[in-house]
């Protein structure tokens, strides 16, 4: 797949600046409530400020190279899985649509390879504002609302001729062989927070401060709550835990779909493997923002617990990672791609932008170490079903790009 990286590609316009985070948003609360607040009334549907002029910036908005390498990863998996005749590219929470746009440019450059494959794009997005931005960027605005078909709320054709449909829920996406992508999606979903006390686990809730007008505060539930009963694992050793049940449900759905129809899922987010405790925070205008101030106006986020996602896959699929973003991108050939883009452009502003983007993505002090990549793959992609117990006679399975040095967990 490295050959594809040497294809000269045009340099995408636009840059980004700062590392960020993302959210479920919040509505004013009248009684102690869990942190889970419904996204449709939240930040993304009202503000949703991704990009330089917004509240936070993400990798695809920083450099085109990120989306290109993710696009290559899917093509490489498609080849490794025997080039199925069709695949759906399903992106959860596509933001401004930039990542899909960059991936579709790669698919277009590899048109001769994908000639006999019917590709369609399926975007799961709850924000009307962001879906409009996606439609404009991906189709030039040539979309149709789709009231008759209750599953997709909008349809269009990409600039490269690929059909695109929009949905509010992963369950609405038609079944079929699919590649799923969730970039900075899971960190935006609502979480429950728990604190271990001398009396046992208590849930961290949000309440109105009786002493200060219009001020919210954190309180501990006086006793156990249904959530403490359900979400705290018996073997838990931390004394503060954040759980995102919605992420668990979505991973279960992705794992079932991959088990039944084939494909793969790539999750990219900042997170940890079940080690961190208190990560809930807010971002506004690229600065840290008190999560309890002006609910609904800041991007709220919590690190993704990949150990929880792995557990939620429930053995339906194999999992790979999490692997640090800088290792994944290095394995995917980011250095070669950067050199090609630098050679293809003579203007210094573009050079500066490309080098800045590379540094943001790869520098361990920026996004290189704290962002992680995690994959769900069918078991047979990693271990050949060994019907005759003659495994030594079989050729090895192709390694999974980006993760090559990792062993299956
Ligand atoms: N992937 C993009 C955007 C990340 S921000 C990027 O990396 O740039 C999170 C995205 O998820 C936004 O598009 C937001 O509107 C969407 N989103 C948040 N909650 C959602 C939900 N429950 N279902 C579908 N999309 C959701």
């Amino acid at each position: 797949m490295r050959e594809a990286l040497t294809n000269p590609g045009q340099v995408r316009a636009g840059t980004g600046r700062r590392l960020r985070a993302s959210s479920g948003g919040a509505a004013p609360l009248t009684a102690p409530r869990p942190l889970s607040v419904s996204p449709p009334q939240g930040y993304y549907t009202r503000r949703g400020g991704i990009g330089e002029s917004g509240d936070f910036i993400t990798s695809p908005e920083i450099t085109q190279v990120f989306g290109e390498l993710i696009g290559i990863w899917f093509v490489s998996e498609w080849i490794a899985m025997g080039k199925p005749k069709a695949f759906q590219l399903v992106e959860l929470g596509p933001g401004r649509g930039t990542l899909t746009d960059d991936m579709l440019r790669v698919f277009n450059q590899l048109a001769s390879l994908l000639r006999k494959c019917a590709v369609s794009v399926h975007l799961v997005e709850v924000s009307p504002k962001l879906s409009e931005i996606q439609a404009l960027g991906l189709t030039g605005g040539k979309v149709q609302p789709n009231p008759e078909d209750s599953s997709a709320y909008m349809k269009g054709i990409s600039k490269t001729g690929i059909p695109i449909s929009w949905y509010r829920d992963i369950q609405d996406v038609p079944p079929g062989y699919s590649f799923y992508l969730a970039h900075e999606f899971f960190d935006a979903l609502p979480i429950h927070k728990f604190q271990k006390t001398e009396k046992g686990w208590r849930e961290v809730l949000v309440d109105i401060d009786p002493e200060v007008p219009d001020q919210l505060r954190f309180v501990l539930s006086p006793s156990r709550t249904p959530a403490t009963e359900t979400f705290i694992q018996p073997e838990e050793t931390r004394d503060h835990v954040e759980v995102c049940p919605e992420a668990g449900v979505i991973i279960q759905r992705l794992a079932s779909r991959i088990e039944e129809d084939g494909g793969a899922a790539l999750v990219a987010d900042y997170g940890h493997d079940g080690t961190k405790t208190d990560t809930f925070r807010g971002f506004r205008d690229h600065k840290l923002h008190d999560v309890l101030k002006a609910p609904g106006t800041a991007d709220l986020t919590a690190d993704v617990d990949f150990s929880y996602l792995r557990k939620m896959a429930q053995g339906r699929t194999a999992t790979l990672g999490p692997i640090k973003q800088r290792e994944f991108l290095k394995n995917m050939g980011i250095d070669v791609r950067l050199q090609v883009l630098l050679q293809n452009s003579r203007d210094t502003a573009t050079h500066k932008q490309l080098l800045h983007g590379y540094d943001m993505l790869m520098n361990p002090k920026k996004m290189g170490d704290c962002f992680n990549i995690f994959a769900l793959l069918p078991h047979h992609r990693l271990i050949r079903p060994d019907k005759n117990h003659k495994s030594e006679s079989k050729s090895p399975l192709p390694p999974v790009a980006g993760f090559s040095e990792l062993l299956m967990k």
Side-chain angles (χ1 to χ4, degrees):
M1 288 317 304
R2 290 282 165 82
E3 273 160 52
L5 291 169
T6 59
N7 278 351
Q10 69 273 40
V11 177
R12 190 185 76 206
T15 59
R17 292 294 163 268
R18 293 220 19 221
L19 175 59
R20 78 102 204 188
S22 148
S23 133
L29 307 174
T30 51
R33 295 255 314 256
L35 293 167
S36 39
V37 265
S38 152
Q41 284 119 48
Y43 169 82
Y44 282 107
T45 45
R46 287 156 47 187
R47 196 166 149 104
I50 309 165
E52 216 173 333
S53 58
D55 296 315
F56 60 91
I57 188 93
T58 59
S59 298
E61 302 297 331
I62 290 170
T63 170
Q64 68 183 75
V65 178
F66 185 82
E68 289 171 351
L69 296 180
I70 300 288
I72 299 280
W73 190 86
F74 285 118
V75 175
S76 145
E77 274 310 293
W78 173 76
I79 294 170
M81 293 192 200
K83 300 187 184 170
K85 286 199 174 58
F87 71 79
Q88 307 189 131
L89 177 68
V90 183
E91 188 177 356
L92 305 174
R96 301 178 62 83
T98 313
L99 187 46
T100 290
D101 202 31
D102 290 340
M103 287 191 291
L104 290 185
R105 200 175 52 253
V106 168
F107 293 174
N108 201 42
Q109 280 172 358
L110 300 177
S112 57
L113 186 63
L114 290 165
R115 203 178 56 236
K116 290 189 186 142
C117 181
V119 180
S120 55
V121 170
H122 304 261
L123 303 178
V124 181
E125 177 57 76
V126 285
S127 161
K129 190 172 150 190
L130 287 174
S131 59
E132 235 176 72
I133 295 173
Q134 293 152 17
L136 200 61
L138 292 167
T139 71
K142 281 181 235 131
V143 283
Q144 290 183 330
N146 202 36
E148 285 130 65
D149 179 344
S150 59
S151 65
Y153 64 83
M154 193 162 69
K155 286 193 177 215
I157 303 282
S158 82
K159 291 172 289 187
T160 53
I162 290 179
I164 310 186
S165 309
W166 278 261
Y167 312 81
R168 289 193 182 83
D169 197 299
I170 180 70
Q171 280 181 295
D172 297 332
V173 177
Y177 189 97
S178 302
F179 290 124
Y180 302 91
L181 177 60
H183 183 263
E184 292 220 32
F185 170 72
F186 286 110
D187 73 275
L189 301 179
I191 55 157
H192 286 267
K193 266 172 106 65
F194 304 98
Q195 177 73 48
K196 198 178 195 174
T197 70
E198 281 168 7
K199 292 183 207 140
W201 284 100
R202 294 291 180 266
E203 189 167 2
V204 181
L205 304 170
V206 175
D207 189 13
I208 291 173
D209 191 330
E211 322 238 299
V212 191
D214 301 326
Q215 175 63 50
L216 300 173
R217 61 172 187 174
F218 287 120
V219 290
L220 281 186
S221 63
S223 54
R224 293 174 75 91
T225 63
T228 53
E229 303 293 316
T230 317
F231 300 128
I232 301 289
Q233 307 290 328
E235 66 275 15
E236 185 57 64
T237 53
R238 288 169 286 178
D239 56 11
H240 190 108
V241 176
E242 294 166 337
V243 180
C244 179
E246 208 175 320
V249 169
I250 293 172
I251 284 290
Q252 282 173 5
R253 292 202 173 121
L254 296 186
S256 304
R257 291 172 73 112
I258 292 169
E259 188 183 29
E260 275 157 38
D261 301 321
L266 205 60
V267 177
D269 229 308
Y270 46 95
H272 57 91
D273 210 3
T275 50
K276 285 199 186 169
T277 55
D278 189 2
T279 72
F280 183 50
R281 59 206 182 278
F283 282 85
R284 191 173 166 166
D285 297 330
H286 300 266
K287 291 191 195 92
L288 274 169
H289 177 89
D290 182 345
V291 290
L292 296 179
K293 289 242 160 72
T297 67
D299 170 50
L300 303 185
T301 180
D303 279 13
V304 172
D305 182 345
F306 289 101
S307 71
Y308 178 68
L309 301 193
R310 190 183 302 118
K311 213 168 275 164
M312 290 299 115
Q314 294 174 326
R316 290 188 178 120
T317 61
T319 64
L320 279 180
I323 179 176
K324 285 174 185 161
Q325 172 164 289
R326 71 184 160 88
E327 289 168 16
F328 178 85
L329 294 177
K330 195 126 207 144
N331 292 340
M332 289 300 301
I334 189 169
D335 293 323
V336 181
R337 181 61 181 149
L338 177 74
Q339 288 314 318
V340 170
L341 288 173
L342 288 173
Q343 277 158 23
N344 287 346
S345 152
R346 287 208 172 77
D347 95 86
T348 35
T350 307
H351 270 224
K352 235 173 124 183
Q353 183 217 322
L354 287 167
L355 292 168
H356 166 79
Y358 179 91
D359 183 55
M360 285 292 290
L361 259 47
M362 299 295 283
N363 190 328
K365 294 199 181 107
K366 296 179 180 168
M367 291 161 132
D369 271 3
C370 59
F371 271 70
N372 292 272
I373 317 286
F374 176 80
L376 301 181
L377 292 157
H379 288 291
H380 62 77
R381 174 65 183 85
L382 299 179
I383 297 174
R384 228 185 260 288
D386 187 11
K387 286 189 192 114
N388 307 321
H389 302 285
K390 284 185 192 157
S391 54
E392 66 282 359
S393 65
K394 289 173 185 148
S395 57
L397 287 157
V400 179
F403 292 89
S404 50
E405 83 282 25
L406 285 185
L407 294 174
M408 187 182 62
K409 292 210 181 177

